[in-house]
Amino acid sequence: MGSLSRQLKEQEQQELDVGKKEFLLSLNVISGHAHANQAVPTPSVYADDRGEIHNVRVGGKRVNLLYSRKGVMRSGDVHTNTQHDFLFSGKAQVWCLAQNGQTIRKIYGPYEYVAIPPYVPHVFEFLEDTVMAEWWDEPFRAW
């Protein structure tokens, strides 16, 4: 099979695998940073030019409380479980990869809930300074 044919077949397979565990086998998915799947101490705070992430424990679950500055992006990853987000203030555009390879973008504002299904690549683009919470159905795992 020629190189172009192989690439098209692989691309076709990747499109079908978005939202499925097999997506992690895609040539476009690489392991996260060495620290990505390590336990995050709670409570703790991580701050950089993008804003702050406060890692806390609520009812036995890890919850991140984020302050993100306008114009920055966060995430750019894939999880093995549903990611839940709730915006308290601000505005964010969430980019998700669809099964057909297209990027779906949706804008969320204050008091809106976002659920990102397992194995769906996603990125948050903050259109305003934003405060939000995020949590997962199972322990956090990312690629």
Side-chain angles (χ1 to χ4, degrees), residues 19-36:
K20 300 176 187 174
K21 184 176 183 176
E22 292 76 16
F23 184 77
L24 297 178
L25 302 175
S26 165
L27 298 175
N28 295 318
V29 176
I30 58 171
S31 295
H33 300 288
H35 67 277

Side-chain angles (χ1 to χ4, degrees), residues 79-84 113-118 135-138:
H79 304 284
T80 59
N81 43 48
T82 300
Q83 176 174 317
H84 305 274
Y113 167 76
V114 182
I116 301 170
W135 66 98
W136 301 267
D137 284 343
E138 303 171 20

